[in-house]
Amino acid sequence: MAHPKFEIPADPHGKARYESAKLHAEAAKKAGKSSEEIHAVFKKVMEFNPATDFDKIPKDEAHKKYRSALVHAIKAKEAGKSDAEIHEIFEKVLKSTSSGHCKA
C-alpha cells in the first residue's frame, strides 16, 4: 500500500508542527504501534492548535518543556510582547537557554 501524500505546510508554525508530528510518529513506530495508530498520532499533532488545545498536551516528562514554553509564550502575548519576542521566549524555554527568571 502506498503511503498517502501529505502537503507540508508552508508557514513556520505549520512546518514546526509537521516536524513534531514526524517525531511523534517515529516514537509511536518505535513503541510498536500499528500503522493506523501511527497515522492517528501524526494527524493529532498536525491538528493541534496551541491557542485552544493547551489542555490536550500530556502532562508527562516528555512534554514538560513544551508545556512550560507554551505557558511562557501565552504570558508574553498577554503582556503585549511582539511576535518576535514571544518566539524568542518560547525557544529559550524550550531549549533551556533562559536564565530561569520569567520576565513575561
Side-chain angles (χ1 to χ4, degrees), residues 44 47-57 67 70:
K44 182 177 180 179
E47 292 175 349
F48 178 77
N49 179 343
T52 60
D53 297 337
F54 180 81
D55 291 334
K56 294 180 182 177
I57 302 170
R67 284 181 67 85
L70 196 51

Side-chain angles (χ1 to χ4, degrees), residues 16-31 33 37-46 57-58 60 62-63 66:
R17 262 193 325 278
Y18 176 72
E19 293 302 320
S20 180
K22 288 192 326 184
L23 290 174
H24 281 79
E26 186 60 34
K29 183 178 180 179
K30 286 181 182 176
K33 302 291 184 182
E37 290 170 312
I38 293 167
H39 283 94
V41 166
F42 183 88
K43 182 179 178 188
K44 182 177 180 179
V45 173
M46 286 305 299
I57 302 170
D60 59 5
H63 294 88
Y66 181 78

Side-chain angles (χ1 to χ4, degrees), residues 11-99:
D11 66 288
H13 290 141
K15 286 180 182 179
R17 262 193 325 278
Y18 176 72
E19 293 302 320
S20 180
K22 288 192 326 184
L23 290 174
H24 281 79
E26 186 60 34
K29 183 178 180 179
K30 286 181 182 176
K33 302 291 184 182
S34 70
S35 179
E36 291 82 16
E37 290 170 312
I38 293 167
H39 283 94
V41 166
F42 183 88
K43 182 179 178 188
K44 182 177 180 179
V45 173
M46 286 305 299
E47 292 175 349
F48 178 77
N49 179 343
T52 60
D53 297 337
F54 180 81
D55 291 334
K56 294 180 182 177
I57 302 170
K59 294 178 181 169
D60 59 5
E61 191 63 30
H63 294 88
K64 185 176 180 177
K65 281 188 181 181
Y66 181 78
R67 284 181 67 85
S68 180
L70 196 51
V71 165
H72 283 77
I74 291 167
K75 288 180 180 181
K77 183 173 182 163
E78 290 170 352
K81 302 282 185 183
S82 70
D83 286 348
E85 291 171 311
I86 294 168
H87 284 113
E88 181 181 357
I89 290 166
F90 179 86
E91 289 297 322
K92 281 183 177 180
V93 174
L94 189 63
K95 294 176 181 168
S96 297
T97 59
S98 66
S99 63

